[in-house]
Amino acid sequence: MRMYDLIMKKRNGKALSKEEIDYMVSGYTKGEIPDYQMSAMMMAIYFVGMNEEETLFLTMAMAESGDMLDLSSISGIKVDKHSTGGVGDKTSLALAPMVAACGVKIAKMSGRGLGHTGGTIDKLESFKGFSTEISIQQFLKNVDEIGIAIMGQTKELAPADKKLYALRDVTATVDNMSLIASSIMSKKLAAGADAIVLDVKTGSGAFMKRQEDAYALAKEMVRIGQNAGRNTVAVISDMDQPLGNAVGNALEVKEAIDTLQGKGAEDFTRLCYTLGSYMLVMGGKAENEEQGRKMLKKVIADGSALNKLAQFVKAQGGEESMVYHPELLPKASLIEPIYAPRDGWVDKLVCDEVGICSLILGGGRETKESVIDLSVGIELKKKIGNYVKKGEVLAYLHANDRAKLAAAKERLFHAYQIGGEERKTNSIIIDVVKQV
Ligand code: URA
């Protein structure tokens, strides 16, 4: 087989076979196929597309390019959750303990944040001593005994995707639906869960800005999951403004704790209930979503979801007292408000801008090597659809550096648009894709 012939075949509009895709992925991972040939192939796929079968073959080849995590030593159905990412997305921090408290085991690999969206691992490190650098044996033991463990994505997980994603990033070939879906799903399949719940975000702060693209991605990923024999559901959720009220690592942890105590923001709580109810159904603990929702409400009301978070934090070396006393979490030295310049309705809150303000304050990573400040961020007091009076507080900035505070303050002020007309907010849950 020659890579040249495969590029020509795809360029001429033909479908590649499983053997051809396996050859290409394994050759590229081993360094036998050069970047320039793979770039040409990615561009050919970008223009010609891939059919359902090819997309599955590519996903499986990338998933199998490294270690496939074996979770079979853990009893029960293991359910994973993945979000396509957004601003203020602290969902895993509240959702994992809620679901685990209901008896579904969560074995999760997460990442760090890069750019203006945060990563679960960084957020968890707000708990003093918490580490995701645990061995696979410890990871499996914690999942079995406590019901949750979260570890950093190992280098051996889907290495083909890692290499290919970096190549796509610099060759303008990221935004192809089959390539995105196979990239995300290859990592999920390699992580070993039996069932997968996907949170596909859409809106100004999401990867998929347009709803039709979010639907297309959701369908493609559900199809891959089902074809690979994993029960997969995708919830399409709104990311036209930040999720919940907190943006920034420790601030988001605090909001997740509030949510586990039943006093979380409404949009965030609803999203957790929706994703969680599907996880309980797919994990075999609830007969339907309604029953799942009731179970989730119960573990919040009786404190067992919060206790589960404390158990999980302790098992990974973190200070569990911070779960019960969130005032012990890292705190910024400067807290400053921004005020509404006029009376009116908040009709826009540019999501990416809020994320960038958190980044400016030091809460995000500009490069992989940046050290982040866990205490800084933004606390939103008004969101889209709220009425404000001139001089009312729109948001608080939490900072440790005056110059950064001034820059972020100016930017956050302009992220808000206040108009004269009442504006309805989008529902946080847009749709659910179960079957394709
Ligand atoms: N996220 C991924 O993991 N892969 C893509 O291709 C795009 C987003």
Side-chain angles (χ1 to χ4, degrees):
M1 225 178 269
R2 288 195 319 156
M3 188 63 180
Y4 177 91
D5 299 325
L6 304 191
I7 298 169
M8 174 107 90
K9 188 173 176 187
K10 183 42 75 187
R11 189 203 70 182
N12 292 344
K14 304 222 172 64
L16 300 174
S17 69
K18 179 175 182 329
E19 290 67 36
E20 288 166 337
I21 290 177
D22 284 348
Y23 165 81
M24 161 178 111
V25 172
S26 92
Y28 185 59
T29 313
K30 286 188 247 162
E32 290 163 9
I33 292 172
D35 280 348
Y36 53 81
Q37 283 191 310
M38 201 51 152
S39 307
M41 175 59 90
M42 289 297 114
M43 195 55 87
I45 291 175
Y46 181 88
F47 282 114
V48 173
M50 284 193 301
N51 66 28
E52 193 176 317
E53 232 180 20
E54 288 175 286
T55 308
L56 179 65
F57 295 150
L58 177 61
T59 311
M60 294 312 297
M62 292 199 295
E64 288 162 2
S65 65
D67 294 344
M68 298 284 277
L69 204 58
D70 179 6
L71 303 180
S72 60
S73 62
I74 303 163
S75 57
I77 304 170
K78 276 74 65 186
V79 186
D80 200 356
K81 169 250 163 195
H82 177 81
S83 159
T84 57
V87 177
D89 188 1
K90 74 283 294 172
T91 310
S92 295
L93 303 180
L95 183 62
M98 281 163 75
V99 171
C102 295
V104 170
K105 293 184 175 154
I106 307 289
K108 196 158 170 45
M109 288 209 174
S110 289
R112 293 189 182 275
L114 186 61
H116 71 282
T117 59
T120 301
I121 294 185
D122 298 317
K123 292 172 196 176
L124 281 166
E125 285 175 353
S126 302
F127 293 110
K128 191 164 171 262
F130 188 94
S131 172
T132 48
E133 283 172 28
I134 53 175
S135 66
I136 292 277
Q137 289 75 13
Q138 189 67 47
F139 176 75
L140 297 174
K141 186 168 176 277
N142 289 3
V143 177
D144 210 25
E145 290 175 3
I146 300 166
I148 324 180
I150 297 184
M151 69 185 288
Q153 203 164 295
T154 66
K155 280 202 286 299
E156 293 76 33
L157 192 94
D161 171 65
K162 196 163 193 209
K163 204 169 167 196
L164 210 45
Y165 193 13
L167 184 75
R168 286 166 54 217
D169 210 20
V170 293
T171 54
T173 50
V174 167
D175 52 341
N176 170 276
M177 220 46 89
S178 300
L179 292 177
I180 297 172
S182 56
S183 164
I184 294 174
M185 290 303 286
S186 67
K187 288 171 279 212
K188 292 287 111 185
L189 297 181
D194 306 301
I196 302 159
V197 175
L198 301 162
D199 179 7
V200 179
K201 308 224 173 262
T202 182
S204 72
F207 196 48
M208 298 289 141
K209 307 271 180 229
R210 301 181 321 161
Q211 268 192 28
E212 56 266 45
D213 293 336
Y215 270 100
L217 180 61
K219 286 182 183 162
E220 190 91 49
M221 291 198 288
V222 169
R223 190 177 297 124
I224 294 173
Q226 288 170 352
N227 285 339
R230 316 280 174 104
N231 191 3
T232 307
V233 164
V235 171
I236 301 179
S237 70
D238 182 62
M239 189 39 81
D240 216 26
Q241 61 176 335
L243 180 62
N245 298 329
V247 178
N249 298 283
L251 292 172
E252 292 187 41
V253 169
K254 160 101 175 45
E255 185 167 39
I257 292 172
D258 287 346
T259 306
L260 291 172
Q261 292 173 324
K263 19 178 222 191
E266 200 210 324
D267 59 344
F268 179 54
T269 305
R270 267 193 69 202
L271 181 66
C272 288
Y273 281 151
T274 303
L275 294 167
S277 61
Y278 282 101
M279 291 171 85
L280 293 185
V281 173
M282 292 157 86
K285 296 291 172 190
E287 292 198 352
N288 50 44
E289 285 95 67
E290 202 184 318
Q291 194 194 356
R293 208 169 276 263
K294 281 193 189 142
M295 290 168 69
L296 294 165
K297 286 188 176 166
K298 183 167 175 291
V299 293
I300 287 196
D302 68 14
S304 49
L306 189 71
N307 292 341
K308 188 56 75 183
L309 176 66
Q311 264 184 311
F312 155 62
V313 167
K314 186 176 175 200
Q316 293 194 214
E319 191 59 67
E320 65 169 330
S321 61
M322 288 174 142
V323 172
Y324 300 107
H325 297 282
E327 68 278 7
L328 299 174
L329 287 163
K331 263 209 267 304
S333 55
L334 306 164
I335 301 177
E336 281 206 12
I338 54 160
Y339 299 106
R342 66 183 78 88
D343 291 0
W345 301 88
V346 177
D347 63 13
K348 217 169 188 182
L349 174 53
V350 186
C351 204
D352 283 350
E353 283 296 302
V354 180
I356 291 167
C357 289
S358 177
L359 184 72
I360 293 171
L361 291 170
R365 249 182 220 94
E366 307 260 9
T367 68
K368 273 191 217 153
E369 289 71 36
S370 317
V371 176
I372 59 174
D373 184 341
L374 295 167
S375 66
V376 300
I378 291 131
E379 207 186 327
L380 301 167
K381 290 291 170 190
K382 298 288 174 190
K383 291 182 66 180
I384 296 174
N386 290 159
Y387 185 76
V388 287
K389 285 214 145 302
K390 182 175 174 189
E392 247 190 294
V393 174
L394 293 172
Y396 287 101
L397 293 104
H398 293 236
N400 284 317
D401 177 304
R402 286 250 162 239
K404 289 178 182 171
L405 173 63
K409 203 169 168 180
E410 170 77 14
R411 207 146 170 171
L412 187 62
F413 182 76
H414 288 106
Y416 274 95
Q417 252 179 41
I418 297 169
E421 306 253 312
E422 184 168 2
R423 150 90 142 88
K424 265 201 150 341
T425 33
N426 298 340
S427 166
I428 184 73
I429 307 298
I430 292 167
D431 206 351
V432 181
V433 175
K434 292 185 195 168
Q435 208 75 44
V436 283

